[in-house]
Amino acid sequence: SQQGEEDPQALSIQEGENATMNCSYKTSINNLQWYRQNSGRGLVHLILIRSNEREKHSGRLRVTLDTSKKSSSLLITASRAADTASYFCADRNSGNTPLVFGKGTRLSVIA
Amino acid sequence: DGGITQSPKYLFRKEGQNVTLSCEQNLNHDAMYWYRQDPGQGLRLIYYSQIVNDFQKGDIAEGYSVSREKKESFPLTVTSAQKNPTAFYLCASSMSTANNEQFFGPGTRLTVL
């Protein structure tokens, strides 16, 4: 019951560059969330964007939502080596069910 | 220091043995979850509990069992019926299943020898 699918699967950039990763959905979006996972660790919540929002910012993170294309993008500006991690999008299939996660994008930021 | 803890961090088991993974939270959350993570597979839901003494199967519940006798605790037992148990197991909690943010523990890496 995979809800979202991230793209690309892996991304490698130089420190200081921007990183963009995308999440596409098959069904309607409820409240889409982005999480980060450092290698061998648990996930950490980054940002949530509601279905009636189009853009949201949190520090160096910018999330956009396009409900007509059933997609969301996460932009990390001025990337740092510490941003190296896997990034997942997640949403619920319906209002009162657990989150369903995509397979993630592995981001490598090279110093 | 509020949070969600899992133990042990690494666990080794022989084939045919049952093993129990611990998950404890002091966030006063009603809902708790167990996910399994394999390389390239993302997170897959094993079981979840919306409230004490209640739990539901997720997408891959076969070979696993859980209990929710206390609000703070949601242990997962990997039984010998689970054919491929080697994986990284993540526990999470949230105020409710309708509440949006989930908080994750650090994970337990289970290896079957």
Side-chain angles (χ1 to χ4, degrees):
Chain A
S1 58
Q2 204 86 39
Q3 173 61 312
E5 191 169 315
E6 292 91 344
D7 169 63
Q9 289 187 345
L11 179 62
S12 184
I13 59 173
Q14 295 290 124
E15 204 166 31
E17 293 180 338
N18 295 342
T20 300
M21 49 208 95
N22 305 296
C23 174
S24 58
Y25 272 74
K26 296 177 183 177
T27 60
S28 61
I29 290 172
N30 293 296
N31 294 306
L32 192 139
Q33 305 180 45
W34 285 90
Y35 287 78
R36 184 187 74 221
Q37 183 183 33
N38 287 47
S39 181
R41 303 285 185 92
L43 278 71
V44 174
H45 181 264
L46 294 176
I47 198 165
L48 179 152
I49 187 163
R50 301 193 185 283
S51 56
N52 62 352
E53 296 176 315
R54 292 297 168 260
E55 189 171 309
K56 205 160 183 181
H57 296 255
S58 177
R60 293 184 296 113
L61 305 181
R62 174 179 164 240
V63 170
T64 60
L65 184 64
D66 187 334
T67 52
S68 65
K69 294 181 180 178
K70 296 181 181 176
S71 68
S72 173
S73 292
L74 171 67
L75 169 68
I76 303 174
T77 60
S79 65
R80 307 166 181 167
D83 294 328
T84 295
S86 292
Y87 292 83
F88 296 87
C89 61
D91 197 358
R92 290 178 163 76
N93 285 326
S94 61
N96 201 31
T97 57
L99 286 174
V100 178
F101 289 82
K103 294 185 178 182
T105 292
R106 291 189 312 279
L107 173 65
S108 298
V109 181
I110 303 164
Chain B
D1 186 23
I4 180 165
T5 59
Q6 293 183 241
S7 62
K9 186 172 176 67
Y10 299 97
L11 189 55
F12 297 89
R13 157 197 130 173
K14 293 182 180 179
E15 272 193 52
Q17 288 181 336
N18 292 356
V19 63
T20 298
L21 282 59
S22 168
C23 178
E24 304 276 333
Q25 53 97 1
N26 61 4
L27 300 167
N28 201 32
H29 285 170
D30 283 320
M32 296 187 74
Y33 316 83
W34 274 105
Y35 292 91
R36 170 180 171 142
Q37 188 175 31
D38 296 280
Q41 293 288 321
L43 276 69
R44 292 184 290 170
L45 183 67
I46 304 172
Y47 268 98
Y48 68 101
S49 168
Q50 294 178 297
I51 202 164
V52 176
N53 294 321
D54 177 71
F55 49 83
Q56 284 87 39
K57 293 181 179 180
D59 300 319
I60 55 165
E62 186 175 350
Y64 300 98
S65 66
V66 294
S67 63
R68 187 84 189 278
E69 297 175 1
K70 297 188 298 181
K71 188 175 186 177
E72 309 79 42
S73 179
F74 191 41
L76 173 74
T77 297
V78 184
T79 74
S80 56
Q82 170 49 237
K83 297 305 177 191
N84 185 20
T86 295
F88 188 52
Y89 290 87
L90 286 161
C91 180
S93 71
S94 63
M95 287 180 65
S96 71
T97 49
N99 186 272
N100 288 298
E101 181 179 351
Q102 288 184 191
F103 295 79
F104 282 80
T108 292
R109 187 166 300 278
L110 172 64
T111 302
V112 175
L113 304 172

PDB file of all heavy atoms in Angstrom, chain B residues 5-34:
ATOM      1  N   THR B   5      12.363   5.055  23.041  1.00  0.00           N
ATOM      2  CA  THR B   5      13.582   4.249  23.095  1.00  0.00           C
ATOM      3  C   THR B   5      13.300   2.841  22.608  1.00  0.00           C
ATOM      4  O   THR B   5      12.192   2.317  22.780  1.00  0.00           O
ATOM      5  CB  THR B   5      14.142   4.203  24.526  1.00  0.00           C
ATOM      6  OG1 THR B   5      13.154   3.643  25.399  1.00  0.00           O
ATOM      7  CG2 THR B   5      14.527   5.585  25.013  1.00  0.00           C
ATOM      8  N   GLN B   6      14.330   2.254  22.003  1.00  0.00           N
ATOM      9  CA  GLN B   6      14.263   0.881  21.555  1.00  0.00           C
ATOM     10  C   GLN B   6      15.480   0.141  22.077  1.00  0.00           C
ATOM     11  O   GLN B   6      16.575   0.705  22.122  1.00  0.00           O
ATOM     12  CB  GLN B   6      14.251   0.801  20.023  1.00  0.00           C
ATOM     13  CG  GLN B   6      13.006   1.355  19.379  1.00  0.00           C
ATOM     14  CD  GLN B   6      13.024   1.174  17.879  1.00  0.00           C
ATOM     15  OE1 GLN B   6      12.993   2.127  17.120  1.00  0.00           O
ATOM     16  NE2 GLN B   6      13.059  -0.076  17.436  1.00  0.00           N
ATOM     17  N   SER B   7      15.270  -1.097  22.434  1.00  0.00           N
ATOM     18  CA  SER B   7      16.412  -1.913  22.848  1.00  0.00           C
ATOM     19  C   SER B   7      16.183  -3.361  22.433  1.00  0.00           C
ATOM     20  O   SER B   7      15.047  -3.816  22.337  1.00  0.00           O
ATOM     21  CB  SER B   7      16.607  -1.810  24.375  1.00  0.00           C
ATOM     22  OG  SER B   7      15.468  -2.315  25.048  1.00  0.00           O
ATOM     23  N   PRO B   8      17.264  -4.102  22.161  1.00  0.00           N
ATOM     24  CA  PRO B   8      18.638  -3.586  22.084  1.00  0.00           C
ATOM     25  C   PRO B   8      18.880  -2.891  20.749  1.00  0.00           C
ATOM     26  O   PRO B   8      18.014  -2.901  19.876  1.00  0.00           O
ATOM     27  CB  PRO B   8      19.469  -4.862  22.198  1.00  0.00           C
ATOM     28  CG  PRO B   8      18.613  -5.908  21.562  1.00  0.00           C
ATOM     29  CD  PRO B   8      17.198  -5.549  21.895  1.00  0.00           C
ATOM     30  N   LYS B   9      20.033  -2.322  20.558  1.00  0.00           N
ATOM     31  CA  LYS B   9      20.378  -1.677  19.293  1.00  0.00           C
ATOM     32  C   LYS B   9      20.703  -2.732  18.228  1.00  0.00           C
ATOM     33  O   LYS B   9      20.346  -2.599  17.066  1.00  0.00           O
ATOM     34  CB  LYS B   9      21.569  -0.740  19.481  1.00  0.00           C
ATOM     35  CG  LYS B   9      21.907   0.098  18.253  1.00  0.00           C
ATOM     36  CD  LYS B   9      22.961   1.122  18.603  1.00  0.00           C
ATOM     37  CE  LYS B   9      23.380   1.916  17.364  1.00  0.00           C
ATOM     38  NZ  LYS B   9      22.289   2.763  16.877  1.00  0.00           N
ATOM     39  N   TYR B  10      21.400  -3.763  18.652  1.00  0.00           N
ATOM     40  CA  TYR B  10      21.735  -4.892  17.771  1.00  0.00           C
ATOM     41  C   TYR B  10      21.269  -6.181  18.433  1.00  0.00           C
ATOM     42  O   TYR B  10      21.414  -6.353  19.645  1.00  0.00           O
ATOM     43  CB  TYR B  10      23.240  -4.975  17.514  1.00  0.00           C
ATOM     44  CG  TYR B  10      23.811  -3.762  16.835  1.00  0.00           C
ATOM     45  CD1 TYR B  10      24.426  -2.755  17.575  1.00  0.00           C
ATOM     46  CD2 TYR B  10      23.733  -3.613  15.450  1.00  0.00           C
ATOM     47  CE1 TYR B  10      24.939  -1.626  16.950  1.00  0.00           C
ATOM     48  CE2 TYR B  10      24.254  -2.500  14.822  1.00  0.00           C
ATOM     49  CZ  TYR B  10      24.855  -1.503  15.586  1.00  0.00           C
ATOM     50  OH  TYR B  10      25.361  -0.399  14.967  1.00  0.00           O
ATOM     51  N   LEU B  11      20.738  -7.082  17.630  1.00  0.00           N
ATOM     52  CA  LEU B  11      20.212  -8.334  18.158  1.00  0.00           C
ATOM     53  C   LEU B  11      20.525  -9.445  17.179  1.00  0.00           C
ATOM     54  O   LEU B  11      20.278  -9.309  15.974  1.00  0.00           O
ATOM     55  CB  LEU B  11      18.706  -8.206  18.365  1.00  0.00           C
ATOM     56  CG  LEU B  11      17.970  -9.310  19.107  1.00  0.00           C
ATOM     57  CD1 LEU B  11      18.584  -9.558  20.479  1.00  0.00           C
ATOM     58  CD2 LEU B  11      16.507  -8.941  19.244  1.00  0.00           C
ATOM     59  N   PHE B  12      21.054 -10.540  17.721  1.00  0.00           N
ATOM     60  CA  PHE B  12      21.371 -11.689  16.896  1.00  0.00           C
ATOM     61  C   PHE B  12      20.534 -12.862  17.385  1.00  0.00           C
ATOM     62  O   PHE B  12      20.378 -13.072  18.582  1.00  0.00           O
ATOM     63  CB  PHE B  12      22.865 -12.013  16.984  1.00  0.00           C
ATOM     64  CG  PHE B  12      23.733 -10.913  16.466  1.00  0.00           C
ATOM     65  CD1 PHE B  12      24.172  -9.904  17.317  1.00  0.00           C
ATOM     66  CD2 PHE B  12      24.091 -10.867  15.133  1.00  0.00           C
ATOM     67  CE1 PHE B  12      24.956  -8.871  16.841  1.00  0.00           C
ATOM     68  CE2 PHE B  12      24.883  -9.840  14.654  1.00  0.00           C
ATOM     69  CZ  PHE B  12      25.320  -8.835  15.497  1.00  0.00           C
ATOM     70  N   ARG B  13      20.050 -13.611  16.445  1.00  0.00           N
ATOM     71  CA  ARG B  13      19.191 -14.725  16.834  1.00  0.00           C
ATOM     72  C   ARG B  13      19.481 -15.903  15.923  1.00  0.00           C
ATOM     73  O   ARG B  13      19.834 -15.719  14.751  1.00  0.00           O
ATOM     74  CB  ARG B  13      17.740 -14.264  16.713  1.00  0.00           C
ATOM     75  CG  ARG B  13      16.731 -15.357  16.552  1.00  0.00           C
ATOM     76  CD  ARG B  13      15.400 -14.854  16.029  1.00  0.00           C
ATOM     77  NE  ARG B  13      14.987 -15.661  14.915  1.00  0.00           N
ATOM     78  CZ  ARG B  13      13.810 -15.565  14.330  1.00  0.00           C
ATOM     79  NH1 ARG B  13      12.945 -14.668  14.757  1.00  0.00           N
ATOM     80  NH2 ARG B  13      13.504 -16.324  13.327  1.00  0.00           N
ATOM     81  N   LYS B  14      19.340 -17.087  16.461  1.00  0.00           N
ATOM     82  CA  LYS B  14      19.482 -18.288  15.647  1.00  0.00           C
ATOM     83  C   LYS B  14      18.148 -18.587  14.990  1.00  0.00           C
ATOM     84  O   LYS B  14      17.076 -18.260  15.528  1.00  0.00           O
ATOM     85  CB  LYS B  14      19.913 -19.466  16.518  1.00  0.00           C
ATOM     86  CG  LYS B  14      21.316 -19.321  17.099  1.00  0.00           C
ATOM     87  CD  LYS B  14      21.667 -20.549  17.911  1.00  0.00           C
ATOM     88  CE  LYS B  14      23.062 -20.418  18.496  1.00  0.00           C
ATOM     89  NZ  LYS B  14      23.420 -21.598  19.318  1.00  0.00           N
ATOM     90  N   GLU B  15      18.226 -19.230  13.859  1.00  0.00           N
ATOM     91  CA  GLU B  15      16.985 -19.623  13.165  1.00  0.00           C
ATOM     92  C   GLU B  15      16.130 -20.496  14.077  1.00  0.00           C
ATOM     93  O   GLU B  15      16.637 -21.344  14.824  1.00  0.00           O
ATOM     94  CB  GLU B  15      17.330 -20.426  11.909  1.00  0.00           C
ATOM     95  CG  GLU B  15      17.553 -19.550  10.700  1.00  0.00           C
ATOM     96  CD  GLU B  15      17.571 -20.345   9.399  1.00  0.00           C
ATOM     97  OE1 GLU B  15      16.613 -21.106   9.174  1.00  0.00           O
ATOM     98  OE2 GLU B  15      18.528 -20.211   8.655  1.00  0.00           O
ATOM     99  N   GLY B  16      14.823 -20.274  14.039  1.00  0.00           N
ATOM    100  CA  GLY B  16      13.918 -21.077  14.850  1.00  0.00           C
ATOM    101  C   GLY B  16      13.609 -20.492  16.209  1.00  0.00           C
ATOM    102  O   GLY B  16      12.769 -21.027  16.932  1.00  0.00           O
ATOM    103  N   GLN B  17      14.303 -19.420  16.583  1.00  0.00           N
ATOM    104  CA  GLN B  17      14.077 -18.810  17.886  1.00  0.00           C
ATOM    105  C   GLN B  17      13.147 -17.607  17.768  1.00  0.00           C
ATOM    106  O   GLN B  17      13.217 -16.848  16.797  1.00  0.00           O
ATOM    107  CB  GLN B  17      15.403 -18.334  18.491  1.00  0.00           C
ATOM    108  CG  GLN B  17      16.308 -19.440  18.957  1.00  0.00           C
ATOM    109  CD  GLN B  17      17.594 -18.888  19.563  1.00  0.00           C
ATOM    110  OE1 GLN B  17      18.008 -17.779  19.250  1.00  0.00           O
ATOM    111  NE2 GLN B  17      18.217 -19.671  20.425  1.00  0.00           N
ATOM    112  N   ASN B  18      12.314 -17.421  18.768  1.00  0.00           N
ATOM    113  CA  ASN B  18      11.542 -16.188  18.866  1.00  0.00           C
ATOM    114  C   ASN B  18      12.410 -15.128  19.555  1.00  0.00           C
ATOM    115  O   ASN B  18      13.274 -15.456  20.365  1.00  0.00           O
ATOM    116  CB  ASN B  18      10.274 -16.395  19.708  1.00  0.00           C
ATOM    117  CG  ASN B  18       9.274 -17.301  19.041  1.00  0.00           C
ATOM    118  OD1 ASN B  18       9.457 -17.730  17.908  1.00  0.00           O
ATOM    119  ND2 ASN B  18       8.213 -17.601  19.746  1.00  0.00           N
ATOM    120  N   VAL B  19      12.155 -13.877  19.222  1.00  0.00           N
ATOM    121  CA  VAL B  19      12.891 -12.795  19.870  1.00  0.00           C
ATOM    122  C   VAL B  19      11.957 -11.602  20.030  1.00  0.00           C
ATOM    123  O   VAL B  19      11.100 -11.363  19.177  1.00  0.00           O
ATOM    124  CB  VAL B  19      14.148 -12.419  19.046  1.00  0.00           C
ATOM    125  CG1 VAL B  19      13.764 -11.888  17.676  1.00  0.00           C
ATOM    126  CG2 VAL B  19      15.022 -11.453  19.793  1.00  0.00           C
ATOM    127  N   THR B  20      12.112 -10.880  21.144  1.00  0.00           N
ATOM    128  CA  THR B  20      11.245  -9.739  21.420  1.00  0.00           C
ATOM    129  C   THR B  20      12.052  -8.448  21.413  1.00  0.00           C
ATOM    130  O   THR B  20      13.075  -8.341  22.091  1.00  0.00           O
ATOM    131  CB  THR B  20      10.532  -9.907  22.775  1.00  0.00           C
ATOM    132  OG1 THR B  20       9.697 -11.068  22.709  1.00  0.00           O
ATOM    133  CG2 THR B  20       9.660  -8.685  23.069  1.00  0.00           C
ATOM    134  N   LEU B  21      11.545  -7.470  20.653  1.00  0.00           N
ATOM    135  CA  LEU B  21      12.157  -6.155  20.573  1.00  0.00           C
ATOM    136  C   LEU B  21      11.350  -5.204  21.446  1.00  0.00           C
ATOM    137  O   LEU B  21      10.118  -5.176  21.384  1.00  0.00           O
ATOM    138  CB  LEU B  21      12.145  -5.655  19.119  1.00  0.00           C
ATOM    139  CG  LEU B  21      13.188  -6.210  18.148  1.00  0.00           C
ATOM    140  CD1 LEU B  21      13.095  -7.719  18.014  1.00  0.00           C
ATOM    141  CD2 LEU B  21      13.024  -5.546  16.795  1.00  0.00           C
ATOM    142  N   SER B  22      12.074  -4.398  22.202  1.00  0.00           N
ATOM    143  CA  SER B  22      11.425  -3.493  23.143  1.00  0.00           C
ATOM    144  C   SER B  22      11.231  -2.111  22.534  1.00  0.00           C
ATOM    145  O   SER B  22      12.083  -1.622  21.785  1.00  0.00           O
ATOM    146  CB  SER B  22      12.285  -3.386  24.401  1.00  0.00           C
ATOM    147  OG  SER B  22      11.866  -2.324  25.224  1.00  0.00           O
ATOM    148  N   CYS B  23      10.110  -1.462  22.863  1.00  0.00           N
ATOM    149  CA  CYS B  23       9.843  -0.080  22.474  1.00  0.00           C
ATOM    150  C   CYS B  23       9.109   0.601  23.623  1.00  0.00           C
ATOM    151  O   CYS B  23       8.043   0.133  24.047  1.00  0.00           O
ATOM    152  CB  CYS B  23       9.008  -0.021  21.203  1.00  0.00           C
ATOM    153  SG  CYS B  23       8.600   1.674  20.716  1.00  0.00           S
ATOM    154  N   GLU B  24       9.679   1.680  24.108  1.00  0.00           N
ATOM    155  CA  GLU B  24       9.093   2.426  25.224  1.00  0.00           C
ATOM    156  C   GLU B  24       9.045   3.914  24.867  1.00  0.00           C
ATOM    157  O   GLU B  24       9.990   4.443  24.300  1.00  0.00           O
ATOM    158  CB  GLU B  24       9.940   2.263  26.489  1.00  0.00           C
ATOM    159  CG  GLU B  24      10.170   0.828  26.921  1.00  0.00           C
ATOM    160  CD  GLU B  24       9.023   0.288  27.743  1.00  0.00           C
ATOM    161  OE1 GLU B  24       8.328   1.082  28.401  1.00  0.00           O
ATOM    162  OE2 GLU B  24       8.807  -0.946  27.725  1.00  0.00           O
ATOM    163  N   GLN B  25       7.935   4.573  25.253  1.00  0.00           N
ATOM    164  CA  GLN B  25       7.845   6.017  25.026  1.00  0.00           C
ATOM    165  C   GLN B  25       7.299   6.714  26.272  1.00  0.00           C
ATOM    166  O   GLN B  25       6.446   6.157  26.967  1.00  0.00           O
ATOM    167  CB  GLN B  25       6.974   6.342  23.786  1.00  0.00           C
ATOM    168  CG  GLN B  25       5.585   5.727  23.773  1.00  0.00           C
ATOM    169  CD  GLN B  25       4.472   6.627  24.245  1.00  0.00           C
ATOM    170  OE1 GLN B  25       4.697   7.791  24.596  1.00  0.00           O
ATOM    171  NE2 GLN B  25       3.252   6.100  24.256  1.00  0.00           N
ATOM    172  N   ASN B  26       7.817   7.900  26.530  1.00  0.00           N
ATOM    173  CA  ASN B  26       7.323   8.698  27.662  1.00  0.00           C
ATOM    174  C   ASN B  26       6.733  10.012  27.176  1.00  0.00           C
ATOM    175  O   ASN B  26       6.785  11.026  27.880  1.00  0.00           O
ATOM    176  CB  ASN B  26       8.439   8.930  28.688  1.00  0.00           C
ATOM    177  CG  ASN B  26       9.615   9.697  28.107  1.00  0.00           C
ATOM    178  OD1 ASN B  26       9.565  10.129  26.960  1.00  0.00           O
ATOM    179  ND2 ASN B  26      10.663   9.860  28.884  1.00  0.00           N
ATOM    180  N   LEU B  27       6.169   9.977  25.969  1.00  0.00           N
ATOM    181  CA  LEU B  27       5.575  11.166  25.357  1.00  0.00           C
ATOM    182  C   LEU B  27       4.078  11.242  25.612  1.00  0.00           C
ATOM    183  O   LEU B  27       3.414  12.163  25.126  1.00  0.00           O
ATOM    184  CB  LEU B  27       5.844  11.138  23.838  1.00  0.00           C
ATOM    185  CG  LEU B  27       7.332  11.125  23.449  1.00  0.00           C
ATOM    186  CD1 LEU B  27       7.498  10.776  21.974  1.00  0.00           C
ATOM    187  CD2 LEU B  27       7.965  12.471  23.768  1.00  0.00           C
ATOM    188  N   ASN B  28       3.540  10.262  26.322  1.00  0.00           N
ATOM    189  CA  ASN B  28       2.095  10.176  26.592  1.00  0.00           C
ATOM    190  C   ASN B  28       1.274  10.024  25.307  1.00  0.00           C
ATOM    191  O   ASN B  28       0.147  10.510  25.220  1.00  0.00           O
ATOM    192  CB  ASN B  28       1.612  11.387  27.399  1.00  0.00           C
ATOM    193  CG  ASN B  28       0.295  11.106  28.116  1.00  0.00           C
ATOM    194  OD1 ASN B  28       0.028   9.980  28.520  1.00  0.00           O
ATOM    195  ND2 ASN B  28      -0.534  12.129  28.255  1.00  0.00           N
ATOM    196  N   HIS B  29       1.870   9.368  24.321  1.00  0.00           N
ATOM    197  CA  HIS B  29       1.184   9.167  23.044  1.00  0.00           C
ATOM    198  C   HIS B  29       0.270   7.959  23.110  1.00  0.00           C
ATOM    199  O   HIS B  29       0.618   6.927  23.678  1.00  0.00           O
ATOM    200  CB  HIS B  29       2.215   8.957  21.927  1.00  0.00           C
ATOM    201  CG  HIS B  29       2.890  10.222  21.522  1.00  0.00           C
ATOM    202  ND1 HIS B  29       3.997  10.237  20.687  1.00  0.00           N
ATOM    203  CD2 HIS B  29       2.621  11.514  21.811  1.00  0.00           C
ATOM    204  CE1 HIS B  29       4.372  11.476  20.485  1.00  0.00           C
ATOM    205  NE2 HIS B  29       3.549  12.275  21.152  1.00  0.00           N
ATOM    206  N   ASP B  30      -0.903   8.080  22.480  1.00  0.00           N
ATOM    207  CA  ASP B  30      -1.823   6.956  22.427  1.00  0.00           C
ATOM    208  C   ASP B  30      -1.426   5.933  21.377  1.00  0.00           C
ATOM    209  O   ASP B  30      -1.595   4.741  21.546  1.00  0.00           O
ATOM    210  CB  ASP B  30      -3.250   7.448  22.127  1.00  0.00           C
ATOM    211  CG  ASP B  30      -3.914   8.058  23.345  1.00  0.00           C
ATOM    212  OD1 ASP B  30      -3.734   7.506  24.449  1.00  0.00           O
ATOM    213  OD2 ASP B  30      -4.617   9.075  23.202  1.00  0.00           O
ATOM    214  N   ALA B  31      -0.940   6.408  20.226  1.00  0.00           N
ATOM    215  CA  ALA B  31      -0.675   5.524  19.090  1.00  0.00           C
ATOM    216  C   ALA B  31       0.795   5.122  19.022  1.00  0.00           C
ATOM    217  O   ALA B  31       1.688   5.946  19.241  1.00  0.00           O
ATOM    218  CB  ALA B  31      -1.088   6.208  17.792  1.00  0.00           C
ATOM    219  N   MET B  32       1.012   3.859  18.708  1.00  0.00           N
ATOM    220  CA  MET B  32       2.380   3.353  18.521  1.00  0.00           C
ATOM    221  C   MET B  32       2.406   2.442  17.305  1.00  0.00           C
ATOM    222  O   MET B  32       1.385   1.848  16.937  1.00  0.00           O
ATOM    223  CB  MET B  32       2.864   2.611  19.772  1.00  0.00           C
ATOM    224  CG  MET B  32       2.962   3.535  20.994  1.00  0.00           C
ATOM    225  SD  MET B  32       3.714   2.769  22.430  1.00  0.00           S
ATOM    226  CE  MET B  32       5.450   2.734  21.963  1.00  0.00           C
ATOM    227  N   TYR B  33       3.599   2.336  16.694  1.00  0.00           N
ATOM    228  CA  TYR B  33       3.741   1.644  15.412  1.00  0.00           C
ATOM    229  C   TYR B  33       5.048   0.854  15.381  1.00  0.00           C
ATOM    230  O   TYR B  33       6.040   1.262  15.969  1.00  0.00           O
ATOM    231  CB  TYR B  33       3.792   2.655  14.252  1.00  0.00           C
ATOM    232  CG  TYR B  33       2.774   3.766  14.323  1.00  0.00           C
ATOM    233  CD1 TYR B  33       3.024   4.909  15.094  1.00  0.00           C
ATOM    234  CD2 TYR B  33       1.584   3.689  13.619  1.00  0.00           C
ATOM    235  CE1 TYR B  33       2.093   5.943  15.155  1.00  0.00           C
ATOM    236  CE2 TYR B  33       0.655   4.722  13.679  1.00  0.00           C
ATOM    237  CZ  TYR B  33       0.919   5.836  14.450  1.00  0.00           C
ATOM    238  OH  TYR B  33      -0.001   6.860  14.503  1.00  0.00           O
ATOM    239  N   TRP B  34       5.027  -0.237  14.599  1.00  0.00           N
ATOM    240  CA  TRP B  34       6.242  -0.943  14.275  1.00  0.00           C
ATOM    241  C   TRP B  34       6.387  -0.995  12.754  1.00  0.00           C
ATOM    242  O   TRP B  34       5.453  -1.378  12.046  1.00  0.00           O
ATOM    243  CB  TRP B  34       6.230  -2.370  14.817  1.00  0.00           C
ATOM    244  CG  TRP B  34       6.695  -2.472  16.222  1.00  0.00           C
ATOM    245  CD1 TRP B  34       5.946  -2.667  17.341  1.00  0.00           C
ATOM    246  CD2 TRP B  34       8.056  -2.407  16.675  1.00  0.00           C
ATOM    247  NE1 TRP B  34       6.738  -2.721  18.462  1.00  0.00           N
ATOM    248  CE2 TRP B  34       8.043  -2.556  18.069  1.00  0.00           C
ATOM    249  CE3 TRP B  34       9.288  -2.225  16.021  1.00  0.00           C
ATOM    250  CZ2 TRP B  34       9.208  -2.546  18.838  1.00  0.00           C
ATOM    251  CZ3 TRP B  34      10.445  -2.209  16.781  1.00  0.00           C
ATOM    252  CH2 TRP B  34      10.393  -2.367  18.172  1.00  0.00           C
TER     253      TRP B  34
END
